[in-house]
Amino acid sequence: MESKDTLISDLVTDIHNGKLQLPDFQRGWVWDDNRIKALLASITNLYPVGAAMFLEYGNESIHFKYRTIEGCPASASSTKPSWLILDGQQRLTSIYSSLYSENPVDTRTEKGVDIKRFYYFDIRKCLDTTIDRIDAIISVDENKQIKGFGRNVILLDLNPANSEYEKKLIPANILLDSTKFTMWQTAYFNYYNCDPAVVQEFMQFINTIQMPMMKYAIPVIRLDKDTPKEAVCQVFENVNTGGVSLTVFELVTAMFAMDDFELRKDWEENHNDKFTGDILSKVEATDFLSAMTLLTMYKTYKNGGPAVSCKRKDILNLKLKDYEANRAQLIEGFIEAEKLLAEERIFTNNDLPYSTQLIPLSAICSVLIENKQINITAIKDKLKQWYWCGVLGELYGGANETRYVNDMTGVMDWLAGGTQPKTVQEAYFQPSRLLTLQTRLSAAYKGIMALIMKNHSKDFISGRDMDFVSFKADNIDIHHVFPQKYCQEMKYDKTLWNSIVNKTPISYDTNRKIGGTAPSKYIKNKIEKDNKVAPEQLDEYLKSHMLSPELMRSDDFAGHIVFRAKSLLDSIEKAMGKPISGRDSEDVIKAFGASLI
C-alpha cells in the first residue's frame, strides 16, 4: 500500500481513457447540483476535498466485474482498467463529469429531482475578491439555458458559443483539457479583437483559477494487486470517513458479478418478498451473508471439511454455488427464527435484545429444518434455553464471530446429546443487575419484559393476553407499576422505582387511565369502579405480571420490590435453565432490603 498526491488532471484523463474504473459494487453517485458547485469552489480555492483509494486491477484473489464512471465515452468500456476506485467515487465522478466530460452532468436538485447540468465559471466574478467563489459558478441545463418559472421564459441562453464569450462565462469542462482550453481562449480573444483589457483579465483568470486547478492534487491510497481481499475490506473500513460504506456484502457482490450474478438484486428481491415481518425487515445484507457462511461451513464441516469459521475472510471466500444451494434453506431458517422469537413474546425489532444473535439462531434453525427436527419439543426447548442464556447473560454485545461459531457447532452438538455450548455454560445473571436495568437500551431489559409477557400477562383492564395481536392493536409499552409521580411524591429511591422491578408492559389506554396515583387508589377507583373489573379478576391479571395484589392494594412499596424481584429471578432461572446464585448475599440484602430467596 502506498499513498501519494495525484493531479486531478491526470485522474480525469485516466477515467476518460478507461484506465481508472469502478468495481461493480459501487452504486451510482448521488451528489446534488449545489454540492458539485461547492466541490468546484473548494478545488479552485485549493481547499482539500478528501482522499481516494484505488485497488490495482488483476488481484488474483478478488475477481471484480468493472464498469466506467458515468459520462465516459463508449470506447473506455472496452479498456481493461489499471486501477479500480474503492473510495472517492462521488468526488471523482463529480470532478470528471463537471471538469472534463463533454456530456451534461447527471445530478439532482436539493429536493432530489433528477436534472442534467453544465457548469460555467464567471470570469469577472472569479477575479472579484469580494465575491465568494461558489457564487462565481453557475449551472445551466442540458440545452445550456437557465429557464424562469414560465415555460417559455429564458433567463440565460449560452447558444451559440459567442454567447459564452459575450457573457464572459467559460465552460468548466475545458479547464483540465489544455487543447480545448487553448481553442476556447483563442476564439475568446478573437471575439474581443484581442482587446488588451480582455487579454489581461483572462491572463489573470488563468493565474488565479486555471493554472492552480491544473496543479491541484488529491491524496490517493493505492493498494497493489497482491493485497489480500480481507485486507482490502479492512483497510477501507479504517480510512473511510463518509460516503457509501464498503462492506463485505459489496465485495461479494462484485465477485459474484464476474459470474453474471446480481447479488444485490437477488438479496433485495428476497428481502422484500420473504423478510416481511418487523424483525426480519431489519435484517441487513451482511447479516445474511454471515449466517450463510455459518451454514455453508457447518455443512462442509459435517462432511469432513475444515473447522467452521465466520470471519471476514471466510465470508469473502463464499462461493456462488454454495450461496445458491443454501439460499432458500437459510431464508426458511430466518423465518423460523422469527416465529420462535414470537413464541417468546419478542415481536418487533425495537424489542429484539440482540440482532446479532439472530445470525446463529437462523443458521441453526436452517439445519434443524433440513433434519426435520425443528418441531421436536425437546429440541426446541434446548434451543430456547440457549437463546435466553445469550440474552440474559448479555453475551452477544461485543465482537461475535467466535461466539457465532462456538454456538453454531456447540448448540448442534448439544442437541445431538453432547455437552452444553459455551453460551449456556458461561451465562450468569447477577441479582443486583435488576436494579441497574433502568431503560430499554440493554438486552437483558428487553428480555425480561418478554418473559413477563410470556407469563401470559394480561392487560389490567381488558384482561387480554399480550400476544402479537394485542401487542400491536393496544399499543403495549413499558410503564411503572407504582407510578413515577407517586414515587417521587413519596421520595422513594429512584434506583428502585425506576428499575425494571417496578415496570411492566401495559396498554397505552390502561396507563393513561391509571395516572399518577397510589396503586391502591388506581386499582379501586380507576380499574374496579370506573371500568367494572371484579377484584378477583384483577388479582389474576396482576399475578400474570408477577405482581402481588395484596402488596399493591396496601401500597407496600418495599414489599412490592422484594416480591417482584424474587418473581423475576425465578422467571430468569427458568428461562436460562440454571439457578441464580447470590440471591441472599450481603450486597443483595443491602440493595433490596431483604433476601431474594
Side-chain angles (χ1 to χ4, degrees), residues 305-334:
V308 181
S309 181
C310 192
K311 297 184 182 299
R312 180 186 287 107
K313 64 180 180 63
D314 303 304
I315 301 174
L316 293 172
N317 284 327
L318 186 65
K319 300 293 188 293
L320 175 58
K321 64 180 179 63
D322 292 325
Y323 176 86
E324 292 184 303
N326 295 312
R327 175 181 51 209
Q329 182 183 345
L330 183 58
I331 290 173
E332 288 304 311
F334 269 94

Side-chain angles (χ1 to χ4, degrees), residues 44-148:
T44 57
N45 282 320
L46 303 183
Y47 298 157
V49 296
M53 185 169 73
F54 302 162
L55 173 67
E56 187 177 10
Y57 184 74
N59 190 308
E60 290 300 320
S61 64
I62 308 179
H63 299 289
F64 285 152
K65 191 175 182 180
Y66 50 84
R67 62 179 175 84
T68 57
I69 275 181
E70 291 86 348
C72 282
S75 58
S77 60
S78 61
T79 302
K80 181 182 292 187
S82 299
W83 297 91
L84 299 177
I85 302 169
L86 293 185
D87 186 29
Q89 175 206 2
Q90 294 173 327
R91 278 162 291 164
L92 291 174
T93 300
S94 297
I95 290 170
Y96 170 75
S97 58
S98 62
L99 293 177
Y100 201 83
S101 175
E102 296 180 351
N103 302 314
V105 181
D106 289 315
T107 181
R108 59 185 58 174
T109 66
E110 287 183 326
K111 295 183 178 180
V113 178
D114 292 335
I115 55 176
K116 293 180 181 293
R117 289 292 183 264
F118 284 108
Y119 293 86
Y120 283 82
F121 283 84
D122 187 313
I123 295 172
R124 286 169 292 195
K125 288 184 178 180
C126 284
L127 302 179
D128 188 338
T129 57
T130 65
I131 296 177
D132 287 340
R133 183 58 47 76
I134 195 170
D135 293 327
I137 302 169
I138 69 167
S139 64
V140 297
D141 65 21
E142 63 268 39
N143 297 315
K144 297 188 177 181
Q145 296 176 334
I146 296 178
K147 295 178 180 177

Side-chain angles (χ1 to χ4, degrees), residues 272-319:
N272 294 335
D273 183 43
K274 304 292 178 58
F275 288 32
T276 55
D278 188 86
I279 290 176
L280 293 190
S281 67
K282 305 301 190 299
V283 173
E284 300 286 343
T286 50
D287 296 334
F288 189 76
L289 283 187
S290 294
M292 176 65 74
T293 303
L294 267 182
L295 175 61
T296 299
M297 293 203 71
Y298 177 77
K299 294 172 77 170
T300 302
Y301 165 71
K302 294 302 289 183
N303 289 322
V308 181
S309 181
C310 192
K311 297 184 182 299
R312 180 186 287 107
K313 64 180 180 63
D314 303 304
I315 301 174
L316 293 172
N317 284 327
L318 186 65
K319 300 293 188 293

